[in-house]
């Protein structure tokens, strides 16, 4: 019996560790993308100057910017999947906690379960204006990628 409890505790600990790892990795990856894309955009602006001698360098930088935006977006999608998987496992463990006052309400400390319910309520109340990390990050990735492609078109014209 004690071995089963120890194994369950280890699985719960692994779920939390997985969540922390992938959530931290997601933010670190996004921060790295912001720094890298800022440097590339600065280089791209230099190539857009009239007196710049090799404007086709800007084409390469613009394409690189667009490709990197796509790659980082795909990495973010995968990190988000891994985070959601860990969240589901944590919500399972939260569901095994005793209910508040013997009712159907979730335990007060069931953070992930309560957050999911609150998020669903907000999403229903304002589906157009409801904004998540995923949407915000995707907007940044697509905006940077579009900036790269736009600069390529400008430099080729």
């Amino acid at each position: 019996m004690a071995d089963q409890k120890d194994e369950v505790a280890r699985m719960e600990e692994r779920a939390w560790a997985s969540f922390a790892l992938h959530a931290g990795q997601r933010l670190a990856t996004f921060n790295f993308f912001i720094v890298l894309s800022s440097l590339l955009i600065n280089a791209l602006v230099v190539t857009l100057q009239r007196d710049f001698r090799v404007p086709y360098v800007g084409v390469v930088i613009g394409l690189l910017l667009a490709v990197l935006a796509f790659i980082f977006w795909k990495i973010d999608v995968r990190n988000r999947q891994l985070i959601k998987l860990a969240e589901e496992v944590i919500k399972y463990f939260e569901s095994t906690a005793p209910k508040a006052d013997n009712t159907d309400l979730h335990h007060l400390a069931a953070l992930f379960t309560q957050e999911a319910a609150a998020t669903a309520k907000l999403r229903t109340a304002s589906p157009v204006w409801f904004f998540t990390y995923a949407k915000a990050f995707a907007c940044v990735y697509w905006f940077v990628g579009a900036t790269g492609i736009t600069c390529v078109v400008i430099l080729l014209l």
Side-chain angles (χ1 to χ4, degrees), residues 81-94:
Q81 290 170 343
L82 295 170
I83 290 168
K84 288 294 178 192
L85 179 63
E87 286 176 351
E88 291 303 315
V89 173
I90 291 169
K91 284 192 274 187
Y92 166 76
F93 285 115
E94 288 178 347

Side-chain angles (χ1 to χ4, degrees), residues 29-85:
T29 302
F30 184 74
N31 287 337
F32 180 69
F33 174 75
I34 293 298
V35 170
L36 183 62
S37 63
S38 295
L39 294 172
L40 289 173
I41 288 171
N42 282 331
L44 199 52
V45 167
V46 169
T47 67
L48 291 171
Q49 304 299 318
R50 286 196 187 274
D51 58 346
F52 191 75
R53 293 187 179 168
V54 192
Y56 291 109
V57 170
V59 172
V60 173
I61 294 171
L63 290 173
L64 179 63
L65 192 60
V67 168
L68 286 176
F70 178 77
I71 290 169
F72 274 87
W73 173 67
K74 291 304 283 180
I75 291 169
D76 184 62
V77 167
R78 182 62 181 146
N79 273 334
R80 191 171 70 240
Q81 290 170 343
L82 295 170
I83 290 168
K84 288 294 178 192
L85 179 63

